[in-house]
Amino acid sequence: MRALPSVVGKDEDSGPADPAPGPGTGPAGTAASLLEVFRRLDTGPRGLTEAQAAERLTRFGENTVPAARDPSWPRLFARSVRDPFTAVLLCLGLVSAAVFAWGTASVILLLVVVSCVLRASGEHRAARSTAGLRRLVATTVTAQRRSHEDTAPVTREIPVDELVPGDVVRLGPGDLIPADVRLLRSTGLTVHQAALTGESAPVEKSAVEDPGDDGVFQDPRLCFQGSSVASGSATAVVTATGGDTRFAAAHRRTGKPPATTFERSIQGVSWILIRFALLTPPLVLMANAALRGRGLETLPFAVAVAVGLTPEMLPVLVTTCLARGAALLARTHGVIVRRLPALHDIGAMDVLCVDKTGTLTQDRPVVHRALDAEGHDDPEVLRWAAAAAWWSLQLADLPAPDALDEALLAAADEDALMSYDGITARPFDPALRLATVIVRTPGRLGTHTQITKGAVDAVLQRCALSDDERSRLRDLADTQAADGLRVLAVATTARPAGARPQERGLTFRGLVTLRDALAPTAAEALAGLAGRGVTVKVLTGDHPGTAVRACRDLGVPVAGVITADRLDTLTDPELTELARRTTVFARCTPEHKTRITRALQAGGHTVGFLGDGVNDLPALRTADVGIAPREAAGVSRENADLVLAEKDLTAIGHAVAAGRHAGGNIATYLRITLSSNLGNVIAMLSAGLLLPFLPMLPAQVLVQNLCFDAAQLAFAYDRPTPSALRRPNVLDPRALLRFIVGFGALNAVADLATFGVLAFALRGPGDDEALFHSGWFTENLLTQAVVMVLLSFGRGGRRPGPVTWSAAGLAGVGLLLPASPVGAALGLSPLPGVYYVLLAAVLAPYAVALTAARTRHGRVSAATVAQPGD
């Protein structure tokens, strides 16, 4: 037997990274005829023989969703410990323990354990939810098999895992689709595809010859594993099983997802801290040994300096900032943050990828215009179309109107509908693409009116028109369709009373155009996102015209449009460049969405992705922030970073603001803490080399550091200025390093100036060391209080907040502690009054220089943001 064709394998034309083409597609993903499908599958409408089925079962394996081997919980815990950020925390804990700071060491190590437990539990829960997908797969299926080539097929139940490509199966109401199939025959078939696409309403399916061009999941001839039959029945040929189905490909793990923005930022900051922490102790030891002849007795001081350099409260502050933001979002906007770092990532987000249906538009059409044969507005056309919809619903015993009929009824005048009296109705026929009713027209005894509506070509073929007129009307309809509208044609004719419907010799009445109903809050939400520097890109399986139309109606500038067939011809670098300036990506499959997301990330963007179906899983996992609504497919919701109460862009805008609030406070804390600490380290190293004694005792260094860290917890409760929320907040390690070096050097200058004050004004008999320690202790806390206020306050005239009051408390500790009993226990002594006068003379120019440097830094940052870019 010859090998099966590419319908169940990889598409050779699309490259090694592309998925298998959809069932019933041609070599490049184009629609294939039923005969071509049979040839590729080496089968026919009678199905396979038992021998053929057994051979294919051996070759292709059982029809089961591949079970990925997910790592165990202990392995996930061990993996989280290897994270660079966690490694920094462990180093801090060990260093604190080395200098007997048991309280600090215990807190840090506890945070490490809690962080690793939460991270491992979240990943383990996501793995379990993915395994739960197997519950969406059928257990038995009705298939027709033959015992030999020349015998008639017999229909029987077989286990679903024995199904193979080429089998012919039968489907009925309530059946789960057992594999990817191509329909051969169908009667009134509708299918639930919510597990794949997130669509809540059943989708009509039929074995039509012309499927249109609405994307693979909208192809009426194709049904997919993971779907279920809502109504009707069908016979279909199996085109893909097991790991080759769309269902399996949608949730298959394709390796470790890329690091998110928060993870990349923290890793960069972590390595900065690691380098400084590892460099400081040996530097202190070597300098003191070479210039002062001191040996290991300086080790406690060197370790204390290293501890003073590192921000011990970083995990506490990060967790507090993110947890407060997450709690506020859940309480006020119904947004659940399932992974705390995702709150920082959404604050850094500058590109949001969304689908059209359900996000920008509602999952229903609305009437746009009713046009006569000349293209002019004509309400009579809408009245005829609505009458046909109404009496089809009443006379054909339909359970509910379809979406188009519902739109017609909503737009029509109710009194006008009641003026007709329905006689008979023929509901919409997917093969003919028409619906017909006969109504009794008031004032015309013995004559009834037949109303036919449906696809433009189908109606025009049945109208009494010349070829030129038919071509002109088709062009009119094409113009409307090119503008992103759906088009229905309406025709009527007079019929004698009692005559049956006949769709020929009709009189063309006009066209009804429909557009997607816009989501009520979409326009406002999109404007809000644009004002915050977030660009929205539409990734949809729909026709490009309908997506462009929705964007235009919502006021979204469309910079470019790309369809899937163009995407398949682009290399990754080409797509990265093109994705930057493209707004609409149409006809997208799940694989296209993932590739576009990666291309945007490769271009330096922080990408959020809003999805709700199993088909969105790869993109949700790839994006920096995966977002899903509460009504999304369960596995998508479990793998999302943020879960929305409703599929509403307004909630995403609130999440962006909360993320920037938290991220801004974290960045401010890191800038101030690290620059101040670096300045202190430089000053301590210099003082250690200039003085015949240690510039500060190890206990004094640790107490000073503890006071400063405790004061800086106020940053978790600070409120940034509105300008800080207008652009993405990305923690760039290189920019952070430049900041801490520049401002750290300025801080060191102030510390070294204090040396002069201490050397010339505070020389007391036999008390030089205690006075020096006290004076420098006070100066350090006061300069750090000044830094807290000036580098976080004054950008917009805000009233004093938590940071200001915390800085005031820090300054109070610096002024009062040396003269207190606690200060005496630490080896500090009271300072003379002249010291405070001289210290003010040092702090005043330092504050002026700090303000000037901050202003210059702000101008440089603003100029960098304002440069034209992505």
Side-chain angles (χ1 to χ4, degrees):
M1 181 180 294
R2 67 177 184 269
L4 292 190
S6 63
V7 72
V8 292
K10 294 287 184 183
D11 182 358
E12 297 178 355
D13 295 339
S14 58
D18 288 342
T25 57
T30 56
S33 69
L34 191 55
L35 181 59
E36 290 172 327
V37 173
F38 280 146
R39 285 176 176 171
R40 289 191 190 123
L41 294 171
D42 194 15
T43 188
R46 298 196 304 161
L48 302 174
T49 65
E50 295 290 353
Q52 289 174 324
E55 188 274 336
R56 295 189 185 191
L57 185 62
T58 302
R59 181 156 35 121
F60 295 105
E62 292 185 345
N63 178 35
T64 57
V65 178
R69 186 176 179 181
D70 296 309
S72 63
W73 193 92
R75 184 182 293 272
L76 292 172
F77 183 87
R79 183 189 299 170
S80 63
V81 173
R82 296 199 305 265
D83 182 79
F85 180 55
T86 305
V88 170
L89 298 183
L90 283 174
C91 289
L92 292 178
L94 294 175
V95 168
S96 299
V99 295
F100 307 109
W102 300 114
T104 302
S106 300
V107 170
I108 292 176
L109 293 177
L110 178 63
L111 287 169
V112 168
V113 172
V114 171
S115 173
C116 292
V117 167
L118 291 176
R119 182 185 225 174
S121 299
E123 293 184 11
H124 191 58
R125 185 170 58 250
R128 288 202 316 269
S129 69
T130 301
L133 282 171
R134 297 180 184 90
R135 292 193 297 269
L136 297 175
V137 180
T139 55
T140 62
V141 61
T142 303
Q144 58 184 50
R145 295 268 180 90
R146 294 174 291 154
S147 56
H148 301 288
E149 285 282 354
D150 55 352
T151 59
V154 176
T155 301
R156 62 187 181 89
E157 290 280 327
I158 64 171
V160 74
D161 54 10
E162 295 181 7
L163 207 61
V164 296
D167 264 325
V168 173
V169 297
R170 294 185 179 180
L171 305 171
D175 286 348
L176 295 174
I177 306 297
D180 288 356
V181 301
R182 163 72 181 264
L183 296 179
L184 305 180
R185 296 179 297 278
S186 65
T187 304
L189 183 66
T190 60
V191 173
H192 282 294
Q193 295 187 153
L196 291 166
T197 65
E199 296 173 288
S200 57
V203 179
E204 288 185 4
K205 298 288 184 177
S206 62
V208 297
E209 285 302 318
D210 182 10
D213 189 22
D214 292 326
V216 64
F217 287 109
Q218 281 68 44
D219 191 328
R221 305 170 304 173
L222 307 180
C223 297
F224 303 91
Q225 188 180 54
S227 306
S228 63
V229 178
S231 63
S233 60
T235 302
V237 59
V238 175
T239 57
T241 59
D244 292 320
T245 63
R246 292 267 176 182
F247 181 80
H251 81 278
R252 183 183 296 125
R253 292 184 183 270
T254 56
K256 184 180 179 181
T260 65
T261 298
F262 182 78
E263 292 168 339
R264 293 192 297 268
S265 300
I266 287 299
Q267 286 174 2
V269 174
S270 299
W271 285 115
I272 292 175
L273 298 181
I274 289 172
R275 293 186 183 100
F276 276 124
L278 294 179
L279 180 64
T280 300
L283 196 60
V284 173
L285 289 173
M286 288 188 296
N288 277 275
L291 300 178
R292 289 294 178 181
R294 303 178 187 131
L296 291 178
E297 66 270 17
T298 60
L299 179 59
F301 173 72
V303 173
V305 171
V307 173
L309 176 65
T310 53
E312 292 95 332
M313 293 299 172
L314 176 60
V316 178
L317 185 127
V318 168
T319 303
T320 304
C321 284
L322 297 179
R324 290 186 72 246
L328 181 66
L329 278 176
R331 186 171 63 251
T332 59
H333 302 295
V335 178
I336 306 301
V337 181
R338 300 187 66 255
R339 182 178 62 86
L340 273 185
L343 189 61
H344 171 276
D345 293 336
I346 200 168
M349 180 181 71
D350 62 338
V351 172
L352 174 63
C353 297
V354 302
D355 195 1
K356 176 185 70 67
T357 304
T359 304
L360 304 182
T361 63
Q362 300 180 59
D363 197 8
R364 63 181 181 86
V366 293
V367 171
H368 179 245
R369 294 175 70 188
L371 307 174
D372 62 15
E374 303 301 321
H376 302 135
D377 289 325
D378 185 355
E380 184 77 10
V381 176
L382 175 61
R383 194 169 76 235
W384 286 119
W390 172 256
W391 287 110
S392 290
L393 181 64
Q394 300 301 316
L395 299 176
D397 197 24
L398 299 177
D402 66 19
L404 297 182
D405 283 350
E406 210 165 38
L408 294 172
L409 295 174
D413 184 353
E414 223 174 275
D415 293 337
L417 291 179
M418 295 300 103
S419 64
Y420 298 100
D421 187 11
I423 304 298
T424 187
R426 181 185 291 166
F428 182 78
D429 186 332
L432 298 177
R433 295 183 297 160
L434 295 171
T436 296
V437 302
I438 294 180
V439 298
R440 184 180 292 110
T441 309
R444 298 181 63 185
L445 296 177
T447 302
H448 297 160
T449 301
Q450 174 180 308
I451 310 171
T452 299
K453 66 177 178 63
V456 174
D457 283 340
V459 172
L460 289 178
Q461 288 173 8
R462 291 162 173 81
C463 290
L465 298 168
S466 66
D467 290 343
D468 290 344
E469 185 66 8
R470 187 174 288 109
S471 176
R472 184 186 68 80
L473 292 172
R474 188 176 290 113
D475 290 342
L476 175 63
D478 290 344
T479 301
Q480 300 299 316
D483 200 26
L485 299 169
R486 294 189 235 186
V487 186
L488 284 177
V490 182
T492 64
T493 188
R495 293 290 181 204
R500 299 174 60 84
Q502 293 183 3
E503 288 91 0
R504 62 174 182 268
L506 306 179
T507 301
F508 182 80
R509 292 293 185 181
L511 305 172
V512 178
T513 61
L514 303 101
R515 59 173 175 81
D516 290 329
L518 302 179
T521 61
E524 179 184 356
L526 289 170
L529 289 171
R532 291 190 170 105
V534 178
T535 301
V536 173
K537 299 196 181 280
V538 181
L539 280 58
T540 179
D542 284 350
H543 188 280
T546 61
V548 171
R549 175 83 198 193
C551 291
R552 189 167 66 244
D553 290 344
L554 291 168
V556 177
V558 179
V561 181
I562 296 179
T563 55
D565 54 353
R566 173 79 188 284
L567 280 175
D568 291 334
T569 67
L570 299 174
T571 63
D572 288 343
E574 290 172 339
L575 180 57
T576 297
E577 174 60 26
L578 199 56
R580 178 179 62 84
R581 57 177 189 269
T582 301
T583 302
V584 174
F585 300 84
R587 304 297 192 199
C588 288
T589 65
E591 295 78 20
H592 288 130
K593 294 179 181 180
T594 305
R595 191 177 174 215
I596 293 165
T597 302
R598 287 185 178 139
L600 291 167
Q601 290 173 323
H605 295 285
T606 301
V607 182
F609 185 92
L610 174 61
D612 55 6
V614 173
N615 61 317
D616 292 322
L617 269 180
L620 282 170
R621 289 171 175 158
T622 301
D624 294 283
V625 188
I627 309 168
R630 184 172 55 188
E631 66 270 15
V635 67
S636 299
R637 193 170 58 248
E638 287 294 324
N639 281 271
D641 300 313
L642 272 69
V643 177
L644 311 179
E646 304 292 341
K647 197 173 183 181
D648 185 357
L649 293 177
T650 303
I652 298 179
H654 293 306
V656 168
R660 292 184 183 173
H661 186 164
N665 287 346
I666 293 170
T668 301
Y669 165 80
L670 283 172
R671 286 195 294 264
I672 293 176
T673 300
L674 294 179
S675 61
S676 297
N677 290 356
L678 180 62
N680 289 339
V681 167
I682 295 172
M684 285 186 181
L685 290 174
S686 303
L689 301 178
L690 296 173
L691 298 174
F693 51 82
L694 291 178
M696 195 176 291
L697 300 178
Q700 295 167 354
V701 174
L702 293 175
V703 169
Q704 171 192 275
N705 194 51
L706 179 61
C707 292
F708 187 37
D709 285 335
Q712 291 198 93
L713 287 176
F715 283 114
Y717 302 90
D718 195 21
R719 293 191 61 82
T721 57
S723 61
L725 306 179
R726 292 182 191 141
R727 61 177 184 268
N729 193 340
V730 180
L731 187 60
D732 183 0
R734 292 184 179 179
L736 177 65
L737 182 60
R738 289 193 298 269
F739 184 96
I740 64 176
V741 169
F743 283 85
L746 187 60
N747 191 324
V749 170
D751 287 345
L752 293 173
T754 307
F755 292 169
V757 171
L758 295 170
F760 294 105
L762 301 180
R763 297 187 65 85
D767 208 20
D768 287 351
E769 287 190 37
L771 285 175
F772 189 93
H773 293 162
S774 300
W776 200 14
F777 182 91
T778 297
E779 184 270 345
N780 272 337
L781 292 187
L782 289 178
T783 54
Q784 289 174 340
V786 170
V787 168
M788 286 180 63
V789 173
L790 292 182
L791 293 189
S792 66
F793 178 73
R795 298 170 298 167
R798 295 177 299 160
R799 293 175 296 177
V803 171
T804 306
W805 296 118
S806 183
L810 182 66
V813 171
L815 293 171
L816 300 176
L817 187 64
S820 69
V822 176
L826 292 172
L828 301 175
S829 61
L831 293 161
V834 67
Y835 166 76
Y836 298 104
V837 177
L838 295 173
L839 180 61
V842 172
L843 292 179
Y846 173 62
V848 172
L850 195 64
T851 303
R854 185 202 68 201
T855 303
R856 181 179 179 279
H857 178 269
R859 284 200 301 267
V860 172
S861 299
T864 302
V865 173
Q867 287 177 355
D870 297 345

